[in-house]
Amino acid sequence: MSICKMTKILIVSHRSEATKLLEALQGKGICQVLSAEESIISKEFPDLTAACDRPKEIEDALSKVKNSVTFLKKHANAGQDIISAFAPRTVIEPDYYETVVSDESLAKTIEQCTNSETKIESLEGKIEHLTAAVEMLGPWSGLEVAVEEINNMVNATSWTGFIVNRHFAGFCSEITKAGGIVEQVGIERSNTACMVVSLNDYASEVNRIMRSADFDNISFIGMSGLVKDLIAENNENLAEIREQLKEEQSKASELADKLLELKTLCDHYMNLLGREQTKSQISSTEQTVLMEGWIKEKDIKKLEKVLSKFEASCYEKIEPAEGEEIPVEIENRSGIKPFEVVTRLYGMPQYMEVDPTALLAPFFVIFFSLCLTDAGYAMIIIAFAAYLIKKMQGDKKLMWMLGICSVFTIGAGALTGGWFGDGAQQLSALFGWTFLADARASMMWFDPREDSMTFFKLAIALGYLHIMFGLIIAFVHNLRFKRIIDAVCDQLVWLVMLNAIVIYMFGKDFIGESGASIAGKVAMVPAAMIVLFSQRQGGWAGRIGMGCYQLFSTIFYMGDVLSYLRLMALGMVTGGFAMAINVMAKTASDIPYVGIIIMIMVLIIGHLFNTAISGLSAFVHTIRLQFVEFFPKFLEGGGREFKPLTKEYNYIYIKEK
């Protein structure tokens, strides 16, 4: 439960060693290197230059490899199943990696991929063009005149085009009256393909009629011969080009055998580019490279071990500049670490704040359990999470967190009697297995459907405890940094006043009327302090005005506490929906012949769906309670995440030696 202590360092390296040193640091992934714009030394010595130029050659090489990988993935024979989406990277041996990145023949493979992609795109373009031409010519296949002769008449003018079917008869009548002739050639869906011919003397009037009838002109410019011959020629060309495309795609499929090698090379270039980009952005002199950055204090020995292998490189600890933002990294024990998902989703705390991970974990588990409140559903989630943990690559913290929460949900389900809703009772009634109902009853604390007020009180109590705990964290944190006034005026007064009000309102049965009356009087002291000292800047009129507003915000605490009733609501909805599924399944079982099959399908599909939707709701609303009700009491957030220079892999996973 801590924010890692960071140390600022300055590494000085001779230019001859800088590249190798950066590679070693990248391999360890322990140091965040600042760019010249971020580093303090560049501001103190503005004459320092960048260590090297922009690595354009590596950028171009990476771009070509990426394009080749994208191209070959389309033509690879192996398909991906759902599980492969959770484990997309291929595991390779270190020796294989070294062989691939030093294989110069892959440059030829990349060139072949580029050429093949260009040819395939060209052939696909030709196919698209010829297909469109055939579709365009289709309605005109009955035209008995060569297309180049249509507009070559001396004393007459002709037009070819489409007219809407329902207007065709009227269009023919109008053209005939104007001295023209209309010849129907073919039909395309809702349009009629036709040819209009008119003597030149009547052409102007005929043209006017066509425009008013929305006649869609079609041109055969660039074509010659009969339309049916043109269609046959285009179809012949289409068949030939499709065969060429098939051959080219076959070659691409053969090249896809090199896909893993190109993926490996792509990851290699990505890491190389990251290293070179970092080098191009850091400060340097004529003979040295100056790397200013951050490192976890516990990794200093690792840094010293790396530097010991370089004779012309050394480091020195330096003080951060005044007001400089220190990067933040959080570390927790294995049982708490999965809950870092919640913290990172909210955003890193600032360097001098509290890491909330260990503080939120117990509440997150309890809230998730109460939202789901079904032991059967928890077991399904545990099985799903365990399977994905085994199959997934990379960060598995989310699955571990769901698994931990679901283990505790089994306990919550047992205490509230949730076993696939009322599954235990239904089985006991159906098969006479009374031991199931007896076992359920022996473990139960209360039944939410019969004793909803207990659930109500539990949700309210947990909400109040959660909010008080947030104020206590802020109070202790301020005391730790000797901010006594802030601790007293911003947290202690609220803790005393709110608890005194609660005792006054609900403690009469425990401490009597006189004790409750004393608590009510005690609450007046912190209330007065809130009015006078919650705002400690500006004139007294403004301070008291803001203090009164702060005191009025006591009512907002009531709203915050009531927000925790979602725990009860979601828990009861989950159980109610599960019971409805069981009722539907029981009803379906009465159907002759196929009733048992339908019942099983309803149970499986219904409960799996309810598990998914209720689990998602439990996760989302539990996070909401942390982010909205808990964190703002003590956490400002917005810290800058520690991002060391490290090797990252999108396609491969290299086994450790």
Side-chain angles (χ1 to χ4, degrees):
M1 176 191 140
S2 65
I3 293 176
C4 296
K5 193 171 182 181
M6 291 289 174
T7 299
K8 194 171 188 184
I9 56 171
L10 177 64
I11 301 173
V12 182
S13 176
H14 193 270
R15 278 185 175 272
S16 61
E17 291 185 346
T19 300
K20 289 292 184 182
L21 176 57
L22 270 172
E23 184 177 0
L25 290 174
Q26 187 182 36
K28 290 295 182 182
I30 58 174
C31 183
Q32 178 175 332
V33 182
L34 301 179
S35 66
E37 294 180 355
E38 298 173 308
S39 66
I40 303 302
I41 192 170
S42 297
K43 296 174 183 176
E44 294 178 352
F45 302 95
D47 293 337
L48 293 174
T49 60
C52 63
D53 296 328
R54 176 181 169 186
K56 293 182 179 179
E57 290 185 6
I58 300 175
E59 290 177 352
D60 293 340
L62 177 60
S63 177
K64 289 179 181 178
V65 178
K66 276 186 174 180
N67 290 338
S68 297
V69 169
T70 303
F71 169 68
L72 291 185
K73 283 168 72 175
K74 297 177 184 177
H75 299 278
N77 294 323
Q80 281 197 338
D81 55 21
I82 295 176
I83 297 303
S84 65
F86 294 99
R89 296 188 291 170
T90 305
V91 180
I92 64 172
E93 298 288 343
D95 294 340
Y96 177 84
Y97 177 84
E98 296 298 333
T99 302
V100 169
V101 298
S102 59
D103 187 357
E104 296 180 358
S105 66
L106 288 178
K108 184 178 179 181
T109 302
I110 295 170
E111 184 180 355
Q112 289 174 331
C113 290
T114 303
N115 294 336
S116 181
E117 183 177 18
T118 302
K119 289 180 182 178
I120 288 175
E121 288 178 352
S122 175
L123 292 171
E124 287 176 342
K126 290 179 181 178
I127 289 173
E128 185 177 350
H129 174 73
L130 288 172
T131 301
V134 170
E135 290 179 356
M136 188 274 286
L137 292 171
W140 305 96
S141 59
L143 195 62
E144 297 296 336
V145 180
V147 293
E148 71 271 17
E149 297 179 3
I150 292 176
N151 294 317
N152 287 341
M153 291 181 283
V154 178
N155 298 318
T157 303
S158 62
W159 299 267
T160 50
F162 292 101
I163 190 75
V164 178
N165 290 339
R166 65 177 182 272
H167 297 158
F168 182 67
F171 176 73
C172 291
S173 176
E174 291 290 327
I175 294 296
T176 302
K177 291 178 182 178
I181 300 172
V182 180
E183 181 69 26
Q184 180 177 344
V185 179
I187 293 183
E188 181 192 54
R189 293 185 292 273
S190 60
N191 296 318
T192 298
C194 59
M195 182 174 181
V196 180
V197 181
S198 169
L199 292 174
N200 292 337
D201 294 341
Y202 310 122
S204 177
E205 178 62 19
V206 169
N207 195 24
R208 184 191 64 79
I209 294 172
M210 287 192 298
R211 286 199 305 271
S212 63
D214 293 330
F215 185 79
D216 185 11
N217 279 289
I218 295 296
S219 175
F220 297 96
I221 295 175
M223 304 180 190
S224 61
L226 295 175
V227 172
K228 59 183 179 181
D229 294 336
L230 291 172
I231 292 174
E233 181 182 348
N234 285 336
N235 282 328
E236 185 178 341
N237 290 337
L238 265 175
E240 183 180 343
I241 293 173
R242 282 180 176 140
E243 191 62 32
Q244 293 175 12
L245 178 62
K246 188 176 179 181
E247 292 176 6
E248 203 59 47
Q249 288 173 335
S250 178
K251 292 179 182 178
S253 297
E254 293 176 5
L255 286 173
D257 294 339
K258 296 281 188 179
L259 181 57
L260 178 57
E261 295 174 51
L262 292 182
K263 285 181 175 180
T264 303
L265 190 63
C266 184
D267 277 348
H268 170 72
Y269 276 132
M270 285 179 64
N271 287 316
L272 179 59
L273 179 62
R275 186 163 67 244
E276 291 300 319
Q277 285 178 333
T278 299
K279 184 179 177 182
S280 69
Q281 294 171 358
I282 57 182
S283 304
S284 67
T285 65
E286 186 176 347
Q287 297 297 330
T288 61
V289 174
L290 309 174
M291 306 178 203
E292 184 179 331
W294 294 94
I295 188 171
K296 298 177 191 175
E297 191 171 89
K298 68 183 185 67
D299 288 335
I300 289 290
K301 289 185 178 180
K302 293 181 181 179
L303 176 65
E304 292 174 348
K305 187 176 180 180
V306 170
L307 291 173
S308 66
K309 300 175 183 178
F310 297 89
E311 296 180 355
S313 300
C314 63
Y315 87 98
E316 181 181 352
K317 295 181 182 180
I318 60 176
E319 291 296 323
E322 185 178 352
E324 183 176 3
E325 188 176 9
I326 302 174
V328 178
E329 183 57 275
I330 56 177
E331 285 187 353
N332 293 276
R333 295 179 180 179
S334 56
I336 302 297
K337 198 170 188 65
F339 294 89
E340 289 179 3
V341 171
V342 181
T343 302
R344 294 180 187 276
L345 191 61
Y346 182 80
M348 284 294 193
Q350 295 185 23
Y351 185 69
M352 301 304 292
E353 288 189 316
V354 180
D355 174 13
T357 307
L359 304 171
L360 71 87
F363 289 100
F364 196 98
V365 167
I366 294 170
F367 294 166
F368 183 93
S369 301
L370 291 178
C371 286
L372 196 55
T373 44
D374 194 289
Y377 291 171
M379 287 186 277
I380 293 175
I381 295 175
I382 290 171
F384 179 71
Y387 182 72
L388 289 185
I389 287 170
K390 184 178 179 181
K391 294 292 183 181
M392 279 178 65
Q393 295 173 343
D395 192 352
K396 303 177 183 181
K397 288 198 285 286
L398 176 60
M399 292 300 108
W400 277 109
M401 186 177 72
L402 288 177
I404 293 170
C405 291
S406 298
V407 168
F408 283 88
T409 302
I410 293 177
L415 291 173
T416 56
W419 299 89
F420 293 103
D422 60 347
Q425 303 96 297
Q426 293 289 351
L427 287 174
S428 295
L430 184 62
F431 298 105
W433 296 346
T434 55
F435 69 91
L436 285 177
D438 293 341
R440 171 183 177 272
S442 66
M443 292 184 286
M444 277 183 62
W445 172 24
F446 69 95
D447 188 337
R449 292 176 294 278
E450 297 178 1
D451 188 10
S452 58
M453 281 307 298
T454 298
F455 210 162
F456 179 93
K457 293 174 183 177
L458 177 62
I460 291 293
L462 285 171
Y464 184 77
L465 178 63
H466 199 213
I467 291 172
M468 290 299 105
F469 188 53
L471 289 172
I472 292 171
I473 294 169
F475 175 68
V476 173
H477 184 66
N478 280 329
L479 290 180
R480 179 186 171 194
F481 287 94
K482 297 181 171 28
R483 296 193 288 259
I484 307 300
I485 295 177
D486 291 346
V488 172
C489 297
D490 292 340
Q491 284 89 42
L492 183 60
V493 291
W494 285 101
L495 286 167
V496 174
M497 187 185 74
L498 292 173
N499 284 287
I501 291 173
V502 169
I503 293 171
Y504 174 74
M505 295 178 65
F506 304 106
K508 295 178 183 178
D509 295 337
F510 302 99
I511 61 174
E513 290 282 349
S514 59
S517 177
I518 292 172
K521 294 175 182 177
V522 168
M524 296 179 183
V525 177
M529 292 183 67
I530 290 171
V531 172
L532 294 173
F533 303 116
S534 62
Q535 177 68 27
R536 295 181 291 280
Q537 294 178 350
W540 276 103
R543 291 165 64 176
I544 292 175
M546 284 300 298
C548 292
Y549 174 77
Q550 292 287 345
L551 184 62
F552 175 76
S553 67
T554 304
I555 196 171
F556 299 151
Y557 279 92
M558 183 183 298
D560 292 344
V561 172
L562 291 175
S563 179
Y564 288 80
L565 288 176
R566 70 186 66 241
L567 302 176
M568 179 190 75
L570 290 171
M572 296 187 70
V573 166
T574 300
F577 196 3
M579 289 178 61
I581 292 168
N582 293 335
V583 170
M584 288 190 291
K586 185 177 180 181
T587 304
S589 67
D590 296 332
I591 301 174
Y593 307 114
V594 296
I596 298 298
I597 298 174
I598 296 176
M599 179 190 74
I600 294 172
M601 291 178 62
V602 169
L603 287 173
I604 293 174
I605 296 173
H607 284 303
L608 284 178
F609 174 77
N610 198 18
T611 301
I613 199 70
S614 298
L616 179 62
S617 297
F619 181 76
V620 170
H621 285 280
T622 301
I623 282 183
R624 188 260 178 208
L625 290 174
Q626 307 297 327
F627 288 179
V628 178
E629 314 298 352
F630 186 53
F631 283 179
K633 301 296 185 293
F634 64 93
L635 186 66
E636 185 175 340
R640 177 186 178 188
E641 187 175 359
F642 176 64
K643 294 182 178 180
L645 176 64
T646 186
K647 290 186 176 181
E648 298 178 354
Y649 299 95
N650 292 330
Y651 297 115
I652 61 171
Y653 183 87
I654 303 176
K655 283 185 180 179
E656 294 184 3
K657 292 184 179 180

